[in-house]
């Protein structure tokens, strides 16, 4: 019988620059290089360096850390970053990704009060995806809660699987806050799951972004499934280190998160001369995994089926 070996997955593990907050974008590149991350995801926010493509290129070159993804400025605190027009923000995010060699732009669904943007969002994302090889991966969100009240803050919906997008980002801190079944959502995303924000949560009304393994979300199960399915997107560590008492404590948390991701992404296999080892459970790889009731506000469902699988390959 052949000795088992560990297959190195195609998926790269990146550090979100948001994970070092309140430290700077520049600090994130430095930590990513020191800890051995495969790259970074740049959260475009109020830090001027995060908005400056040339500054980001210099940081990437200096530290030898590629920019793998750009997170468009979709947060409440970034309403005026790069423009007050949300479509301009996405155009600039795409341009930044193209110039930096990043394969993915992460985007949140609109806030409900962005009515025109929300009305056109599904078709607009399809249109922008057709204009570039960069993936626009729409991220699942959650209802806002205060005491016993719940407010639906996002439109068309915080559950992005209800609509027809070419690519999705799944965030496991957001599934915890939404109190939804993360693996069921991943199953609905199917092979249109193109990007992962790896974090944990306990179901608090707050978006916790805990180090994976410290909450209740199926972080290990997700990663093991991705390894078995041949997932070739990026896994991004997006955790909250705000309460770290020192730089060393922050770095220890980020090292732990990276080790967790590497451990569970490495899938056991056997040598080619032997029978293949049983694969771990994986999310469905069929575009039909999206719910049949998904609203086709964008281009035709026929085109969605035709391009969904192709779009999962990195440019």
């Amino acid at each position: 019988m052949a000795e088992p070996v560990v297959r190195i997955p195609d998926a790269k593990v990146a550090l979100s620059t948001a994970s070092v907050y309140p430290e700077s974008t520049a600090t994130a590149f430095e930590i990513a290089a020191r800890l051995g991350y495969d790259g970074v995801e740049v959260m475009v926010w109020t830090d001027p360096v995060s908005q400056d493509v040339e500054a980001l290129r210099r940081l990437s070159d200096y530290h030898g850390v590629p920019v793998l993804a750009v997170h468009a400025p979709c947060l409440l605190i970034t309403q005026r970053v790069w423009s007050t027009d949300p479509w301009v923000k996405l155009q600039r995010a795409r341009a930044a990704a193209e110039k930096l060699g990043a394969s993915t732009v992460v985007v949140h669904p609109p806030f409900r009060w962005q009515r025109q943007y929300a009305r056109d969002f599904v078709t607009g994302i399809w249109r922008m995806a057709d204009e570039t090889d960069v993936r626009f991966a729409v991220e699942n969100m959650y209802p806002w809660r205060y005491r016993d009240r719940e407010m639906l803050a996002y439109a068309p919906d915080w559950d992005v699987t209800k609509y027809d997008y070419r690519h999705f980002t799944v965030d496991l801190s957001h599934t915890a806050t939404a109190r939804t079944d993360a693996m069921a959502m991943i199953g609905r995303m199917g092979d249109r799951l193109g990007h992962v924000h790896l974090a944990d949560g306990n179901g608090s009304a707050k978006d916790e972004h805990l180090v994976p393994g410290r909450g209740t979300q199926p972080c290990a199960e997700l990663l093991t499934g991705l390894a078995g399915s041949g997932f070739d997107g990026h896994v991004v560590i997006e955790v909250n280190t705000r309460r770290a008492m020192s730089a060393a404590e922050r770095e220890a948390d980020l090292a732990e998160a990276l080790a967790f991701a590497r451990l569970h992404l490495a899938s056991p296999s056997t040598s080619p001369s032997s029978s293949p080892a049983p694969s771990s459970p994986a999310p469905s790889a069929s575009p039909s995994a999206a719910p049949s009731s998904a609203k086709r506000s964008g281009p035709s469902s026929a085109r969605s089926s035709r391009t969904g699988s192709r779009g999962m390959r990195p440019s």
Side-chain angles (χ1 to χ4, degrees):
M1 180 181 294
E3 291 295 321
V5 297
V6 173
R7 185 182 69 82
I8 303 301
D10 295 329
K12 293 181 178 179
V13 182
L15 178 66
S16 169
T17 60
S19 294
V20 307
Y21 180 84
E23 297 295 334
S24 66
T25 301
T27 300
F29 276 87
E30 180 184 343
I31 292 175
R34 188 158 53 242
L35 295 182
Y37 278 84
D38 297 318
V40 300
E41 174 178 300
V42 174
M43 171 68 80
V44 180
W45 67 301
T46 55
D47 180 350
V49 171
S50 74
Q51 305 170 30
D52 186 332
V53 174
E54 290 309 312
L56 293 169
R57 192 199 308 277
R58 288 193 295 271
L59 282 170
S60 177
D61 291 345
Y62 179 78
H63 291 287
V65 175
V67 177
L68 300 180
V70 174
H71 195 309
C74 307
L75 307 176
L76 285 172
I77 63 169
T78 61
Q79 292 295 289
R80 296 185 176 276
V81 171
W82 274 357
S83 175
T84 55
D85 183 334
W87 291 114
V88 172
K89 291 174 184 281
L90 295 190
Q91 289 163 2
R92 293 192 62 171
R94 179 190 67 193
E98 290 171 342
K99 289 176 183 176
L100 294 166
S103 64
T104 303
V105 168
V106 179
V107 57
H108 293 180
F111 293 112
R112 294 188 72 85
W113 55 85
Q114 296 175 301
R115 294 181 182 177
Q116 186 59 50
Y117 178 46
R119 264 195 300 272
D120 298 338
F121 185 68
V122 180
T123 54
I125 290 293
W126 270 99
R127 183 177 63 252
M128 295 192 73
D130 281 340
E131 295 170 352
T132 180
D133 290 331
V134 173
R135 304 174 180 179
F136 279 88
V138 186
E139 183 174 2
N140 63 297
M141 298 305 291
Y142 47 84
W144 289 3
R145 294 188 180 91
Y146 178 71
R147 294 182 179 173
D148 295 330
R149 296 186 178 183
E150 184 175 290
M151 182 176 81
L152 300 179
Y154 299 97
D157 204 285
W158 62 265
D159 181 353
V160 293
T161 64
K162 292 182 178 179
Y163 287 80
D164 181 29
Y165 301 109
R166 184 176 292 175
H167 293 112
F168 295 107
T169 297
V170 69
D171 185 306
L172 291 188
S173 178
H174 294 177
T175 58
T177 305
R179 300 169 190 168
T180 193
D181 184 328
M183 295 309 293
M185 175 175 280
I186 291 162
R188 293 195 298 275
M189 290 177 175
D191 71 352
R192 291 184 291 171
L193 174 60
H195 201 67
V196 173
H197 280 172
L198 186 64
D200 216 330
N202 287 310
S204 165
K206 289 185 177 181
D207 186 15
E208 297 171 286
H209 283 275
L210 304 177
V211 171
R214 297 185 186 177
T216 61
Q217 294 305 286
C219 299
E221 184 180 355
L222 165 62
L223 294 173
T224 304
L226 293 179
S229 71
F231 174 77
D232 62 359
H234 305 317
V235 174
V236 177
I237 303 298
E238 190 183 73
V239 297
N240 184 347
T241 63
R242 234 171 280 193
R243 295 185 179 180
M245 300 300 292
S246 65
E249 184 179 332
R250 171 175 292 108
E251 212 159 305
D253 282 348
L254 298 177
E256 180 184 331
L258 175 61
F260 184 101
R262 295 248 191 257
L263 173 65
H264 294 288
L265 276 172
S267 64
S269 61
T270 56
S271 66
S273 60
S274 65
S275 300
S279 60
S280 301
S284 168
S286 168
S288 63
S292 59
S293 59
K295 299 181 181 179
R296 309 287 179 178
S297 300
S300 70
S301 57
R303 184 176 71 171
S304 173
S305 298
R306 184 175 68 249
T307 59
S309 176
R310 180 193 66 196
M312 287 296 293
R313 301 292 167 228
S315 56

